[in-house]
Amino acid sequence: QVQLVESGGGLVKPGGSLRLSCAASGFTFSDYYMSWIRQAPGKGLEWVAFVSSGGNTLFYADSVKGRLFISRDDAKNSLYLQMNSLRVEDTAIYYCARGAGAFDVWGQGTEVAVSS
Amino acid sequence: DVVMTQSPDSLAVSLGERATINCKSSQSVLDSSNNKNYLAWYQRKPGQPPKMLFYWASTRESGVPERFSGSGSGTDFTLTISSLQAEDVAIYYCQQYHSIPWTFGQGTKVEIK
């Protein structure tokens, strides 16, 4: 069945780095636009980053621009989020989701905690 | 950024009764070139990721029960559950995808009265 499985979350100190992965299965990954969305504790959903099919077009929320980088490897059916210069306010559950705006498939999420 | 504001923040409805959730965008999410409203609705149950219910404001996603309906255009939208069931207890979110950054409403919690 169609599935997205995130991994790579954990506890990291402010200023540190982390790389999230999202493994896709059950559909032709290369055909789809993909995004990362997060939810901080007690806060709402926040779209973070988008990558087009083929990887040529990238968009980011202003809050993460220059620090978080989305990429994909269609040969591995995988989506990534490289997270650099992490801040306390990046603490959240990170979801990968399929789609360009309207997200029809979501993973279960991976938790990122940024704390000293 | 387009700000999405939902009302109410929470509501309690008796089983079998109607639940209505409103969503207002700070700018129109209607694209006049194709007459489509770039508005989606999601349902989120505890411990689960969001599940898309509607896109284009009123196009029901496959498998979504017909008691759910989406309506509205421009800046004002509504999600209606015509006859609330126990399994509908969840938080519901609207989201616009007309303009980047794509933005979500704050969520409306639906409970059983």
Side-chain angles (χ1 to χ4, degrees):
Chain A
Q1 74 278 23
V2 174
Q3 195 171 10
L4 297 171
V5 179
E6 302 92 337
S7 60
L11 175 64
V12 61
K13 287 181 167 46
S17 297
L18 213 53
R19 189 195 196 205
L20 306 184
S21 300
C22 171
S25 59
F27 65 100
T28 305
F29 179 72
S30 59
D31 285 349
Y32 287 86
Y33 297 167
M34 299 293 296
S35 283
W36 288 97
I37 296 158
R38 68 184 180 183
Q39 186 163 30
K43 299 285 185 69
L45 294 163
E46 179 188 20
W47 166 78
V48 171
F50 158 87
V51 59
S52 62
S53 55
N56 294 325
T57 300
L58 310 175
F59 294 126
Y60 296 94
D62 285 347
S63 59
V64 306
K65 212 171 281 185
R67 301 186 302 114
L68 275 57
F69 301 94
I70 189 171
S71 63
R72 63 190 298 159
D73 185 337
D74 290 344
K76 294 184 177 179
N77 291 331
S78 292
L79 180 72
Y80 304 102
L81 187 66
Q82 177 65 43
M83 309 173 73
N84 300 332
S85 303
L86 281 163
R87 304 169 179 169
V88 170
E89 54 265 35
D90 294 317
T91 295
I93 298 175
Y94 285 75
Y95 299 94
C96 67
R98 187 177 80 173
F103 307 110
D104 64 343
V105 181
W106 295 61
Q108 289 292 326
T110 187
E111 193 164 352
V112 172
V114 184
S115 173
S116 53
Chain B
D1 297 2
V2 179
V3 177
M4 306 299 291
T5 304
Q6 293 180 228
S7 62
D9 289 334
S10 65
L11 76 162
V13 176
S14 300
L15 288 172
E17 296 300 306
R18 178 184 300 263
T20 301
I21 300 168
N22 299 302
C23 173
K24 190 173 185 67
S25 58
S26 62
Q27 303 169 31
S28 175
V29 299
L30 173 65
D31 188 331
S32 55
S33 68
N34 58 13
N35 204 36
K36 287 184 181 293
N37 287 284
Y38 286 63
L39 189 285
W41 286 99
Y42 301 88
Q43 176 194 61
R44 182 151 192 204
K45 296 183 179 180
Q48 297 183 20
K51 170 190 172 184
M52 189 166 73
L53 299 177
F54 293 91
Y55 55 98
W56 303 132
S58 60
T59 301
R60 189 180 290 105
E61 178 72 337
S62 176
V64 173
E66 290 194 4
R67 63 181 180 273
F68 290 90
S69 63
S71 64
S73 184
T75 61
D76 292 281
F77 300 89
T78 301
L79 175 69
T80 302
I81 310 172
S82 61
S83 175
L84 191 75
Q85 305 300 303
E87 61 265 30
D88 301 334
V89 169
I91 300 175
Y92 293 84
Y93 297 91
C94 62
Q95 178 234 333
Q96 67 81 21
Y97 51 103
H98 181 272
S99 308
I100 285 179
W102 299 317
T103 48
F104 293 84
Q106 80 277 17
T108 295
K109 188 174 186 178
V110 174
E111 299 172 307
I112 305 294
K113 185 187 290 183

